Amino acid sequence: MKKSILKCASIFLASVLTVGMCSAYSVNAKAKFSLPKKTTLSYDKKDNGGNGFYTNVIYIKGTNRSNSESILRNGMKVKSSNRKVISTKTFGKDYYLIADNNQVGIGVKLKKTGSTKITAKFKYRGKTYSVKTTVKVIKYSNPFKKIVVDGRDCTSDFKNKNGSSISFMGRNIKITPNKNWRVKSIYTYKPGATKMKKIKGSSVTIPTNCRAFITMENKKNKLTEKVIFDEMDTSEDPGLGCSYLLQFLYLICFMLNQCHSLPFPLYVSFDKQDSSEYPV
């Protein structure tokens, strides 16, 4: 009887120690962060407004809402192997740290087409991390063969890169991808919701007071271009559509891309949705 009790006690003690060791390991385990092995960005020689760090963001996998603030607070050193393509000499001028609700990103300014290696070093919970990606910068091309918004052809508004990085207004959107391009995803989001809704196909009618996030992907080089639409029926007033609004939004984006003196990271937030639902 005593032997049985001792045996049970031994098994119980071993189980407690095992759980304790596992818990200690999970607390002390090094977090996993990484950049994509390869990254493709587009450069627009004719319109420099789309080449700034507000538009070209490389997101760090493993970052989330719980660790982003700590990582940004500790700072990050970013290095480019080819400064003629992407210069990382001066924070705030050549590159920036950008965060949405779920991920930390490195916003970079593009100087020309070509290749470079980006290395980022940062600290989290006392440990130092180093993540790398090989960046290929290629010439921008319009992802749309045709995009119709509320019955109007807005294809020409995307002839420059800046058009694929700002928010438009519209409700009924129909897309015909250009050669070698495809509609990778379309999501709609209503402020206050916790998740986005994925839309099938290449057209979308945006629900009232919602946004649509459209991601186009080049099937050959895997380059992605993203467009955001805020719901508004612009069929009654063409001035609220793509062309006229675009000129004003170009100016705003250009000013954001030229900001050199901000002493803090630039936060880009789409309210409180789970942005992991929207591929970046």
Side-chain angles (χ1 to χ4, degrees):
M1 182 70 177
K2 289 182 178 180
K3 288 184 178 180
S4 298
I5 293 173
L6 289 172
K7 187 176 181 180
C8 290
S10 299
I11 293 172
F12 175 76
L13 182 60
S15 300
V16 171
L17 289 171
T18 301
V19 171
M21 289 173 69
C22 290
S23 299
Y25 176 78
S26 62
V27 171
N28 296 321
K30 196 171 184 179
K32 292 183 179 179
F33 299 109
S34 65
L35 285 172
K37 189 175 180 180
K38 295 181 179 180
T39 301
T40 305
L41 300 173
S42 62
Y43 173 78
D44 191 346
K45 188 177 180 179
K46 295 181 179 179
D47 184 4
N48 195 49
N51 298 323
F53 49 66
Y54 182 73
T55 341
N56 302 283
V57 185
I58 309 169
Y59 287 94
I60 301 175
K61 295 180 180 179
T63 56
N64 51 51
R65 197 172 298 176
S66 63
N67 59 31
S68 294
E69 184 179 349
S70 176
I71 292 171
L72 290 171
R73 192 189 308 117
N74 292 329
M76 185 181 300
K77 292 182 179 180
V78 181
K79 184 180 179 181
S80 172
S81 64
N82 187 350
R83 290 186 177 180
K84 290 183 179 180
V85 175
I86 296 175
S87 176
T88 54
K89 184 178 180 180
T90 307
F91 173 76
K93 181 180 179 181
D94 300 311
Y95 74 97
Y96 230 64
L97 299 182
I98 296 176
D100 61 18
N101 287 317
N102 270 5
Q103 287 184 303
V104 174
I106 304 166
V108 294
K109 278 192 174 182
L110 310 180
K111 301 181 76 175
K112 57 179 280 188
T113 57
S115 297
T116 184
K117 288 184 179 181
I118 296 293
T119 303
K121 290 185 178 182
F122 57 92
K123 286 186 177 182
Y124 177 64
R125 288 185 175 178
K127 300 185 188 316
T128 301
Y129 296 84
S130 179
V131 292
K132 300 178 181 179
T133 183
T134 299
V135 181
K136 186 177 182 181
V137 181
I138 63 175
K139 183 181 178 182
Y140 172 80
S141 64
N142 193 338
F144 304 110
K145 182 176 182 179
K146 191 172 186 178
I147 178 168
V148 178
V149 181
D150 294 336
R152 293 186 308 280
D153 189 342
C154 291
T155 311
S156 62
D157 291 321
F158 298 91
K159 64 182 180 180
N160 296 119
K161 183 179 178 179
N162 219 3
S164 63
S165 60
I166 59 180
S167 182
F168 290 93
M169 292 181 181
R171 188 170 189 183
N172 297 292
I173 304 158
K174 295 182 180 180
I175 298 168
T176 303
N178 224 332
K179 185 180 180 181
N180 297 323
W181 288 85
R182 73 182 181 99
V183 179
K184 183 179 181 181
S185 65
I186 300 177
Y187 286 84
T188 58
Y189 169 69
K190 187 172 184 177
T194 57
K195 289 186 178 181
M196 290 186 169
K197 182 180 179 181
K198 189 170 185 178
I199 307 297
K200 293 182 179 180
S202 57
S203 62
V204 58
T205 298
I206 308 174
T208 304
N209 298 324
C210 288
R211 271 184 160 185
F213 297 84
I214 301 170
T215 300
M216 303 294 294
E217 182 183 58
N218 189 296
K219 292 183 284 187
K220 283 190 173 183
N221 53 42
K222 302 303 178 183
L223 171 70
T224 59
E225 301 287 356
K226 299 174 183 179
V227 189
I228 302 172
F229 277 90
D230 288 303
E231 180 271 327
M232 179 178 284
D233 187 354
T234 61
S235 59
E236 296 295 324
D237 185 357
L240 293 175
C242 295
S243 301
Y244 297 99
L245 180 66
L246 190 62
Q247 297 175 18
F248 176 67
L249 293 176
Y250 272 174
L251 178 61
I252 294 175
C253 283
F254 179 78
M255 291 172 67
L256 285 168
N257 283 327
Q258 298 301 316
C259 287
H260 295 165
S261 58
L262 295 177
F264 48 83
L266 175 64
Y267 285 85
V268 181
S269 176
F270 300 134
D271 299 310
K272 294 184 178 180
Q273 79 275 22
D274 181 1
S275 62
S276 62
E277 293 292 319
Y278 178 52
V280 294

